[in-house]
Structures are given as C-alpha cells and as structure tokens.
Amino acid sequence: MASTVIHAPGACSSPSIKFVDSQNYIGLKPSVNLRLKFNFVKTTVKVRQSQCLFIVKAGETRDGPIKKLGLTDAECEAAVVAGNAPEAPPLPPKPTAPAGTPVVPSLALNRRPRRNRKSPTLRASFQETNLSPANFVYPLFIHEGEEDTPIGAMPGCYRLGWRHGLVEEVAKARDVGVNSIVLFPKVPDALKSATGVEAYNDNGLVPRTIRLLKDKYPDLVIYTDVALDPYSSDGHDGIVREDGVILNDETVHQLCKQAVSQARAGADVVSPSDMMDGRVGAIRAALDAEGFHHVSIMSYTAKYASSFYGPFREALDSNPRFGDKKTYQMNPANYREALVEAREDESEGADILLVKPGLPYLDIIRLLRDKSPLPIAAYQVSGEYSMIKAGGVLKMIDEERVMMESLMCLRRAGADIILTYFALQAARSLCGEKR
C-alpha cells in the first residue's frame, strides 16, 4: 500500500497557495486575507443574591467572543460544585421525517455501515492512503477555568477554557482542514468519586462543551472519551473493589450511561478507552435503545499498559492512586492477543478499531489493518509527542521533519485516522504555512 504526503488544497487561506478548492475541506472558507474573522458566542450573566449563574446564550448572537468574567479557576470550579454550572446552548430540535413516512421498529443491527458515511468529514477521514488534515483527530484538554493553563510535560499543549480557549483552538484547526477533535476533561477533585457518577452528568463539563461546539460548528466531528479515570477518586478506568480488583461488569454499566449522556449532548463518536470486557456490545445496545443508532463507536481495541502515557496523566491529574492498569490494559509483549480483542470488538458492533500507543506498535496497526475491514485509528500518545518536542528543543532532531515522518509511518502501517497532538502543527505544514 503506497502512501503520499499531499499539500491539501483549500486547507489554507494564504494567497500563495495555488489550486485552492474549498469544497474539498469541510468548514473552510477561501479568503485572500490571512487574518480570518471568527465569530464567537456571547455570555450573559444573571446575578442572584447569593450566587452567580452563568448562561451561555449562543443562539442570540455570534458577533463577538464570549466575554470573560474575571473569575479564577477555583471560583469556576466552586460554582460547578455548588450546582451553578454555566448553561450551554440547548439541543437543536430533532429533524422530522416527511409526511407519510411509515412508523416502523428499528432494525436490530449491530453493524450499520452508513455511520461511517454520514458526513463529508467522516467520509474524507476514511478515504484510503494519503496524509492530509482530514486524517487527523485533534485531542484537546478542557477545564472549567477561563484561562488556558500550559501543561509542563507537553510543550505547546494547554488545558483550555471550555468557553474561550477551546473555541479559539478549534477555529485555528478548522482553518487548516482539521475538523475532528476528541475531548479530555480535567474534572474538579470535589466531583470525583469511587463510582465516577459525574461521568454521566448531562450538565457536566463534557456535555456542556459538546453543546457549545455543536452550536457554533454544526459540522464539527466530536469524538469523546468513555472511561471513568478522569472522574474516579481512585484514578482507575473502572470501579475499584476494596481489595484493589477493578470490577468489570459494574464498570460497564457506568460506561453505558456515560456514552448515552455524551450522545445526547451531540457527540458523533464515543470512544471507550477503558479496556473492560464486553463494553462495546453493551454501549452499542444502550445507544440503540435510546435512539442513537447514528452515533459511532471507536473502540480502544489494542490499548497497551504503556509507559508512554505519563504526560497525559499529568494533563488530566488522573494518575492511579495505587497500583497500575495491567489487569485491564494489554501486555506490551503480546501480539496475537490484539486479534482476540479486535474480533470481540467487531462482533459487538465497533465502527472503528484503535491502537494505542502508535509508533512503537506499528506491527499491531498493520496486523489489524490486514485482518479487519473496519477503519483503523492510531493514537500518537503524549510520550511520543513530548519526545519529539524535547529532541527538537535540544537540536538533536529536526522536529518538523520527524513529526511528519512519524505521522506518515502511522499511515503507511495502515491507520486511517491518527489522534495526534501535532494535528494543528502538521496540518499547517501540509498546506505550506510557516510556524
């Protein structure tokens, strides 16, 4: 299978780029002015005697950025803990079928291939063999604060304020053809619990963020993380028994509620990263039962108990309080076991299979590519990103070239899409922009 790096036409607004065709990239508007105007959502404030309730009224106007209220991260988190979370825009009305459409029961289908063809962004994401911004899914960290907080172990990455910095970062990504993101929340410690109930709060940080982004960018493809570790007081992906055992079936029950909550808010693809047995089939059944047949599942099929995850856990403050994750994540020494996981996920209704980490596991990516007809995703994880960044700072490698080569290797191995913190930087490189 041959792979080529292409300069994505229409993915940049620079007048120096020729053969621009904005119809090939979703969310792009050709312009000869390098300074694009982005429309943001305004915030209105209702003041009560004893509390402030922040209301995001995105539908009223899109003439300017949301005004900041000058609150600290602690004040924002305190308001959420007290039950005064900022309101996000309401869900849009459900589209109606034309008159005369028969009312029929939903077909009992685990596999609905149309889910992967439902939007121009997804169709472009799964088009075979090239390297373009359409192949990137941009992982973004969000928090309740208004300011963006730098992540020390991941140069260039931030915990983004969900109503401000996040909207700006998504606008930058869309400007160069990256129209898919995945959200990872930094949850206030006061909302964490042993059973992770905050994970399925319909007014929690992730559902609010989804509604805000969908109100501003309806065609944005939003992936979500389905796992309990950001919400767990124990820092594990599942519920921990008193003897340290991670409970499987009880955890899956919670994950189903989390996935449905995310789908209800408008998520396009839910992504169980927990590695519990049977969770894909259970989540598919839960989504279908609630009418979310169109919502895809990207399963973390071969997620290894890797040492490359350290910077990510710093970003979310989600290190396990004790022990490790080796009883549910895969042994890095194992190859054939990935096929066992892949076959189970396929049979349970997964739409996309993901391998994590990426570059150290090219053989696993190729294995799943050769054995499965489903789209394959690779996650270029935080440790891979930070090593390239560190090598570039120390002048030991050419950061730009190594970045692009590593992404090409993932594509060549068989990855249809790549979750990478380099998404914005790489997309700019592909369309010829200077950093």
Side-chain angles (χ1 to χ4, degrees):
M1 181 186 300
S3 299
T4 57
V5 180
I6 65 169
H7 292 278
C12 302
S13 56
S14 169
S16 65
I17 305 300
K18 297 180 180 179
F19 49 84
V20 173
D21 180 6
S22 63
Q23 294 181 349
N24 290 335
Y25 291 89
I26 304 308
L28 304 183
K29 296 181 180 179
S31 171
V32 297
N33 185 353
L34 287 175
R35 294 189 176 182
L36 301 179
K37 178 181 178 182
F38 300 109
N39 295 323
F40 299 99
V41 187
K42 283 188 176 180
T43 301
T44 62
V45 180
K46 289 184 177 180
V47 180
R48 298 177 180 175
Q49 287 183 342
S50 59
Q51 60 185 15
C52 286
L53 178 64
F54 314 112
I55 302 179
V56 182
K57 293 192 175 180
E60 291 186 357
T61 178
R62 304 185 182 200
D63 295 335
I66 298 175
K67 294 180 180 179
K68 297 183 180 181
L69 303 177
L71 300 175
T72 65
D73 292 357
E75 290 172 330
C76 290
E77 292 186 354
V80 173
V81 172
N84 299 321
E87 294 180 6
L91 293 173
K94 185 177 180 179
T96 57
T101 299
V103 178
V104 299
S106 297
L107 298 176
L109 301 178
N110 274 342
R111 176 79 53 240
R112 288 179 181 259
R114 288 185 56 191
R115 282 194 284 260
N116 288 334
R117 303 194 294 264
K118 64 192 174 190
S119 74
T121 297
L122 287 175
R123 291 194 297 273
S125 294
F126 304 139
Q127 182 173 309
E128 297 181 8
T129 316
N130 52 44
L131 182 61
S132 79
N135 299 121
F136 301 147
V137 178
Y138 194 8
L140 295 171
F141 302 107
I142 55 174
H143 71 150
E144 294 286 2
E146 294 188 337
E147 301 299 329
D148 301 336
T149 305
I151 300 167
M154 300 179 68
C157 292
Y158 298 82
R159 293 173 184 162
L160 301 168
W162 71 280
R163 290 178 296 159
H164 308 102
L166 174 65
V167 175
E168 295 168 6
E169 193 71 6
V170 169
K172 293 175 187 176
R174 285 166 60 87
D175 185 41
V176 288
V178 178
N179 200 43
S180 298
I181 66 165
V182 57
L183 297 172
F184 293 102
K186 195 279 181 185
V187 178
D189 288 343
L191 293 179
K192 296 181 180 181
S193 65
T195 55
V197 295
E198 180 65 16
Y200 48 86
N201 177 3
D202 283 344
N203 202 36
L205 177 57
V206 170
R208 275 183 276 126
T209 300
I210 295 169
R211 299 201 302 269
L212 177 65
L213 290 176
K214 282 294 187 179
D215 182 75
K216 183 161 185 60
Y217 306 118
D219 64 324
L220 179 69
V221 175
I222 300 178
Y223 294 69
T224 56
D225 181 51
V226 179
L228 296 187
D229 50 325
Y231 308 91
S232 169
S233 52
D234 295 310
H236 277 282
D237 293 47
I239 299 172
V240 183
R241 204 167 62 187
E242 63 179 359
D243 59 355
V245 171
I246 310 301
L247 298 175
N248 191 92
D249 297 9
E250 294 84 352
T251 295
V252 170
H253 178 78
Q254 300 292 76
L255 299 177
C256 290
K257 292 194 284 187
Q258 181 183 16
V260 168
S261 176
Q262 294 170 350
R264 188 179 295 121
D268 298 285
V269 186
V270 297
S271 311
S273 64
D274 56 289
M275 291 297 289
M276 299 295 121
D277 295 336
R279 88 276 204 211
V280 172
I283 290 172
R284 182 74 270 157
L287 291 172
D288 289 354
E290 294 293 328
F292 298 116
H293 307 279
H294 60 286
V295 174
S296 303
I297 296 176
M298 178 174 71
S299 173
Y300 282 56
T301 295
K303 181 179 181 180
Y304 285 84
S306 172
S307 298
F308 283 88
Y309 303 148
F312 176 94
R313 291 172 182 170
E314 175 188 322
L316 295 187
D317 189 23
S318 61
N319 275 302
R321 187 170 57 86
F322 62 89
D324 53 41
K325 300 189 177 185
K326 293 180 179 179
T327 65
Y328 47 100
Q329 295 179 358
M330 289 176 57
N331 185 343
N334 289 2
Y335 175 81
R336 298 189 305 273
E337 186 182 6
L339 282 179
V340 175
E341 294 285 355
R343 288 166 181 164
E344 288 300 314
D345 288 352
E346 283 186 0
S347 68
E348 292 176 22
D351 299 287
I352 309 161
L353 307 180
L354 181 141
V355 177
K356 180 181 180 181
L359 206 61
Y361 294 84
L362 293 180
D363 59 331
I364 307 301
I365 297 172
R366 170 49 57 188
L367 175 66
L368 298 193
R369 171 72 293 143
D370 289 343
K371 299 295 184 180
S372 175
L374 295 180
I376 303 299
Y379 199 143
Q380 186 181 49
V381 299
S382 58
E384 299 174 68
Y385 170 88
S386 295
M387 286 193 299
I388 294 174
K389 282 289 185 181
V393 169
L394 295 174
K395 306 299 182 184
M396 299 174 70
I397 58 173
D398 183 316
E399 178 188 320
E400 191 87 5
R401 291 185 178 182
V402 172
M403 170 188 72
M404 298 307 296
E405 182 178 343
S406 67
L407 294 169
M408 173 55 69
C409 289
L410 294 167
R411 287 283 294 131
R412 186 192 66 224
D416 296 287
I417 56 173
I418 304 169
L419 283 67
T420 175
Y421 304 99
F422 283 121
L424 179 56
Q425 183 179 344
R428 286 173 171 170
S429 179
L430 284 171
C431 63
E433 284 190 11
K434 297 293 183 180
R435 281 187 295 159

